[in-house]
Amino acid sequence: MDVEKYVKEEEMVNLPEELINSPYEYIMNHYESLYKHLSRKYWSVLSLLPVSLIAPKFILNGREIRMHLNFLLLADSGHAKSQTAREFEKISFNVISTKNMSVPRLYHEVKKRNGDKMTLVVEDVAIWFMDEEKIKFLEGMTGEEESYNRENMRNIKDKDKHLDLISFCSGTSENITNRRLKEGILRRFFPMIIVLSKEEHDEIIDFIMSGSNKKLRINDSEQIVKFYQELKKIQDGTHPTIQPIEGYIFPGKERMIKLSDSIKSMTDYLHRKFNHSSATEVEEVFRLAISYAFLNIHNKHKNGLIRDNKLVITEEDLNVAENLIRQEIYAKKIIYSCIYSIDILGFRTMSKLREWENKRREKGKSGIPKEAKFIYSRNIKK
């Protein structure tokens, strides 16, 4: 389902003042009211994806950088992944939704959209992780090249085609401990690993039971859909008051140095342990900051923070982006470590994993994070 199905072009849109003034919080709070302890986390990233699809590219060191964000959600069954995918399909643009669509059919679905901006939603991503051809397809469409060609797609004879595409993939963590994922998919996606505590599970049960007499909040969902359509109208040049954004104005050198030092610190372990390049995170933090700024474009317009059709990136925008990139780097650290443990150290059973954890504790080191245990439990024998 696409937002175009929900909003007619000629319709005058009157959005709630709270949504206009605080869209990020409004969106997260709305979906959290449906799925407690889950949706604020999910939508802290998902709310930015459609914006990244319509916002123009940015320039770093004289080079144009794509804006498109991609999100990989890993969680157990019963964590509202499918419901979240359905809600996301409503707000994003030109959606291709699949669980296990064949590569030829995927190619057909992409081709018939003829270069339009599009969104790929993949449920049960663990199935994709077992299929080399699908991984190549996903890498080609979400990578810097943003294309599908004979190098990243077999049996396709068309010339390279540029794609405007974002992707939301979700599922459990089976088959993720593959070194190819570390080299390809994780460089292109913002991963999030969700593991709930016993207390959170109990609170969710209480929350569900207490809501038996509550009314459906359909109106809020519809208002959010309309809000994203308004953002698209701005960039399409059909909005009555706000002109399309053509670029960005970033803070001065001192703040950029501070941001650079922060990313260096956050990625230090990944670089030392896994030879990970932090260039990916540098570009990603700009994508996140710009997407958050664009989400708040009505506030920017009202407060004079659009100059010569350029969005002014503020301290608030950078702070939100830094917080999100910290979460992204943490999740990558967990996944990289699990891949290393299974593929390099040869952890094949839970008993060997427990033995290794006990040795760590004897040396005064911390135990295995719950997110890592979640991945291990789906990929090694008991």
Side-chain angles (χ1 to χ4, degrees):
M1 291 179 283
D2 301 341
V3 290
E4 286 83 359
K5 295 180 181 179
Y6 287 77
V7 182
K8 296 179 181 179
E9 283 296 323
E10 67 273 12
E11 183 179 351
M12 292 297 294
V13 179
N14 293 312
L15 297 170
E17 186 175 347
E18 184 184 354
L19 176 55
I20 291 292
N21 293 335
S22 303
Y24 195 58
E25 284 297 317
Y26 186 99
I27 292 165
M28 289 192 296
N29 288 339
H30 166 62
Y31 291 112
E32 180 71 7
S33 72
L34 304 178
Y35 307 108
K36 188 178 179 63
H37 288 314
L38 296 169
S39 288
R40 276 194 70 86
K41 299 169 186 175
Y42 298 169
W43 288 92
S44 67
V45 181
L46 282 175
S47 63
L48 304 180
L49 261 66
V51 184
S52 76
L53 182 59
I54 60 177
K57 294 181 178 181
F58 61 98
I59 298 175
L60 282 182
N61 295 322
R63 185 168 63 95
E64 277 194 333
I65 307 296
R66 65 183 177 87
M67 262 300 298
H68 303 162
L69 292 166
N70 302 293
F71 185 44
L72 173 62
L73 172 61
L74 299 174
D76 249 335
S77 300
H79 283 55
K81 297 188 298 296
S82 294
Q83 296 92 327
T84 300
R86 298 291 81 75
E87 292 296 328
F88 179 70
E89 288 171 16
K90 294 176 185 178
I91 69 163
S92 201
F93 309 103
N94 209 4
V95 175
I96 302 171
S97 181
T98 173
K99 285 189 176 181
N100 193 23
M101 194 182 293
S102 68
V103 171
R105 175 63 186 276
L106 283 165
Y107 166 69
H108 171 73
E109 291 294 326
V110 170
K111 185 179 179 181
K112 76 179 185 181
R113 282 160 173 78
N114 197 30
D116 291 341
K117 296 180 185 298
M118 67 189 85
T119 303
L120 177 66
V121 177
V122 177
E123 294 184 64
D124 203 0
V125 73
I127 295 176
W128 281 55
F129 290 157
M130 294 188 296
D131 192 318
E132 180 76 8
E133 194 170 18
K134 287 182 177 177
I135 289 179
K136 286 185 176 183
F137 182 86
L138 196 57
E139 286 177 351
M141 293 201 299
T142 59
E144 193 64 46
E145 63 274 20
E146 295 182 305
S147 65
Y148 49 93
N149 54 46
R150 296 191 68 182
E151 282 69 43
N152 56 43
M153 280 278 295
R154 293 197 296 267
N155 303 321
I156 299 300
K157 301 183 184 298
D158 292 59
K159 294 181 179 179
D160 292 1
K161 292 181 180 291
H162 176 76
L163 299 172
D164 275 335
L165 179 139
I166 57 172
S167 181
F168 169 35
C169 301
S170 63
T172 57
S173 66
E174 281 89 348
N175 308 311
I176 199 169
T177 51
N178 179 313
R179 296 186 70 184
R180 179 169 174 77
L181 300 181
K182 171 179 174 290
E183 300 301 326
I185 298 299
L186 290 181
R187 287 196 297 108
R188 295 162 166 84
F189 280 76
F190 185 127
M192 181 179 287
I193 307 166
I194 300 297
V195 181
L196 297 177
S197 66
K198 175 63 166 59
E199 291 75 15
E200 288 173 326
H201 274 291
D202 290 346
E203 288 179 16
I204 289 173
I205 293 173
D206 293 338
F207 174 77
I208 294 171
M209 297 300 294
S210 67
S212 58
N213 293 317
K214 289 183 180 179
K215 295 181 179 179
L216 287 173
R217 298 188 59 179
I218 295 175
N219 186 59
D220 283 348
S221 294
E222 291 177 345
Q223 295 296 335
I224 291 170
V225 169
K226 293 176 182 179
F227 175 78
Y228 280 97
Q229 183 65 25
E230 283 288 286
L231 297 184
K232 188 173 185 296
K233 285 181 180 179
I234 292 171
Q235 210 53 27
D236 286 345
T238 59
H239 194 274
T241 58
I242 304 177
Q243 297 298 309
I245 297 301
E246 298 175 358
Y248 313 99
I249 299 173
F250 296 102
K253 183 177 180 181
E254 184 176 336
R255 182 61 178 94
M256 291 296 98
I257 291 174
K258 181 181 177 183
L259 178 61
S260 176
D261 290 342
S262 177
I263 293 174
K264 288 176 187 176
S265 175
M266 285 187 272
T267 58
D268 177 66
Y269 177 84
L270 288 177
H271 177 70
R272 287 187 292 104
K273 184 75 174 179
F274 306 109
N275 196 30
H276 173 80
S277 171
S278 60
T280 300
E281 283 68 43
V282 171
E283 294 177 0
E284 188 84 339
V285 79
F286 278 97
R287 293 187 190 102
L288 293 165
I290 291 169
S291 297
Y292 178 81
F294 201 110
L295 192 73
N296 285 279
I297 196 168
H298 293 92
N299 286 327
K300 300 281 188 183
H301 178 68
K302 181 172 61 176
N303 295 319
L305 294 175
I306 302 177
R307 300 169 189 167
D308 297 325
N309 295 333
K310 294 182 179 180
L311 271 182
V312 177
I313 307 302
T314 64
E315 184 70 15
E316 177 185 348
D317 304 327
L318 291 179
N319 287 340
V320 170
E322 274 193 82
N323 180 55
L324 289 173
I325 201 67
R326 184 174 292 108
Q327 296 176 43
E328 177 175 342
I329 291 168
Y330 175 76
K332 286 181 177 179
K333 176 182 174 182
I334 294 294
I335 295 171
Y336 281 21
S337 297
C338 290
I339 291 173
Y340 178 80
S341 299
I342 294 176
D343 289 356
I344 304 301
L345 300 182
F347 290 173
R348 301 300 179 193
T349 64
M350 290 299 290
S351 61
K352 188 166 185 177
L353 180 63
R354 285 191 290 269
E355 180 182 335
W356 178 69
E357 185 176 19
N358 290 334
K359 288 181 180 179
R360 282 175 55 85
R361 286 179 170 152
E362 288 173 3
K363 295 178 180 179
K365 297 183 179 181
S366 60
I368 299 172
K370 61 182 180 180
E371 294 88 353
K373 287 183 177 180
F374 166 64
I375 293 177
Y376 286 134
S377 69
R378 300 300 181 276
N379 290 279
I380 61 180
K381 296 178 180 179
K382 295 181 180 181

